[in-house]
Amino acid sequence: KMPIVFGLARACVTSCVRKQGQMNAIKQIIKSGKTAIGTTAGPNIDVSVLADAGFDFILFDTQHSPYEIKQMAPSIQAMRGKKAAPFVRVAANQADQICFALDAGARGIIAPMINTRAEAEAMVRSCRYYPQGNRSNAGVRGEWGEFPKYRDYMDTVNKELVIVPMIETKQALENLDAIASVPGVDVLLIGPSDLSIELDVPLDYACDTYQRALDKIAAAAAKHGIAAGMYFIPPGMEPNFFVDKGFKFFTMPWGPWATTGIQNAIGGIKR
């Protein structure tokens, strides 16, 4: 029997079908307790280069950017066969937004302003196929492998997709255990700016009030066997400071690193 493969275009079949039951590598990084490092990008960036530069994931933001989810699809398609996994931050915790991102090929979903267990449960349901969720079916979407049965594809996605609710409010801080204990949640992701504003210490990321909140979030994640993350590392602060506090999932800006690499390479050439 030939394995079942569905997709948007015939051209993507060979890259989509690499091996049966393909694992989502970043999920394994998170589960193993290692640090997952990503960066952000959009349709105006050649992500095929970034996706093989060493990052574990590329994050496409549709909340605070001029781009909508469906505009990200070509960039996500360009990442097929690359090291990094495509993640999408949806604009709101809504089933249609999540469905658009997954249909485009996202292997991780980030949703903002998750404040209660019920909201986290709704997010997970929107990410997963029946019977674990209510995601609408549109054939095989994304880079998940080949499968002898369609049910195998759906089960793989349900198991391997990375689900990341954002912790950004006082209400979320009060409900950390309830959110972290929802089956399917992989990371508690801090929205650094919004959380600082909620705590009445706007953008004061080094102050005691903010740092105590970080410690509370990291402890809740560790208690429930999931990861803690930062959407970005605050300017001027050392990434390893947050790693040592227990935050093992975050983005770094690729521009300065690229500039340094180019300058070093050019500097090594006689001119």
Side-chain angles (χ1 to χ4, degrees):
K1 270 188 177 183
M2 291 293 291
I4 297 174
V5 181
F6 299 89
L8 288 172
R10 223 171 144 184
C12 77
V13 168
T14 54
S15 58
C16 182
V17 182
R18 289 192 293 170
K19 60 181 179 179
Q20 185 170 332
Q22 180 177 318
M23 307 299 282
N24 196 3
I26 190 168
K27 182 101 168 186
Q28 309 312 310
I29 292 171
I30 292 168
K31 289 174 68 175
S32 70
K34 296 179 181 178
T35 301
I37 304 169
T39 195
T40 57
N44 58 328
I45 301 296
D46 183 357
V47 295
S48 65
V49 175
L50 280 180
D52 259 348
F55 291 108
D56 299 304
F57 65 98
I58 306 295
L59 197 163
F60 299 93
D61 180 32
T62 64
Q63 183 188 21
H64 295 300
S65 82
Y67 303 111
E68 297 182 356
I69 294 170
K70 292 183 179 181
Q71 292 176 275
M72 305 295 188
S75 296
I76 293 174
Q77 295 294 322
M79 291 177 62
R80 289 183 178 277
K82 306 294 186 180
K83 175 184 183 294
F87 275 54
V88 173
R89 176 166 71 169
V90 294
N93 184 26
Q94 297 175 352
D96 60 339
Q97 295 279 310
I98 291 172
C99 186
F100 290 156
L102 293 173
D103 282 356
R107 279 189 273 154
I109 295 292
I110 298 172
M113 297 290 178
I114 303 299
N115 297 317
T116 66
R117 181 180 182 87
E119 291 173 359
E121 289 173 337
M123 180 187 179
V124 172
R125 285 196 302 271
S126 296
C127 288
R128 288 178 159 180
Y129 291 113
Y130 175 87
Q132 293 177 289
N134 52 23
R135 176 185 171 185
S136 180
N137 169 63
V140 170
R141 298 301 179 100
E143 197 173 15
W144 296 105
E146 66 176 28
F147 308 90
K149 297 179 181 178
Y150 193 67
R151 180 73 258 173
D152 296 336
Y153 154 72
M154 292 189 289
D155 289 342
T156 295
V157 175
N158 285 351
K159 178 183 177 184
E160 295 294 328
L161 183 70
V162 178
I163 301 175
V164 185
M166 293 192 71
I167 306 299
E168 307 181 84
T169 67
K170 291 178 181 177
Q171 185 182 10
L173 286 175
E174 293 169 358
N175 291 317
L176 283 176
D177 280 329
I179 294 169
S181 62
V182 171
V185 167
D186 294 296
V187 182
L188 296 181
L189 184 67
I190 294 174
S193 302
D194 283 325
L195 183 61
S196 73
I197 293 167
E198 277 269 331
L199 294 174
D200 296 319
V201 290
L203 310 190
D204 189 356
Y205 303 117
C207 74
D208 289 343
T209 298
Y210 193 80
Q211 291 300 314
R212 283 195 297 269
L214 297 193
D215 291 339
K216 184 177 179 180
I217 293 166
K223 175 182 174 181
H224 293 281
I226 62 176
M230 305 277 291
Y231 190 85
F232 61 85
I233 298 299
M237 299 192 77
E238 171 59 42
N240 285 331
F241 170 80
F242 294 95
V243 173
D244 291 342
K245 286 178 79 72
F247 291 87
K248 301 291 188 73
F249 179 100
F250 49 81
T251 66
M252 296 293 294
W254 60 268
W257 288 354
T259 299
T260 299
I262 291 169
Q263 291 173 341
N264 288 340
I266 290 176
I269 299 173
K270 295 179 180 179
R271 302 182 74 180

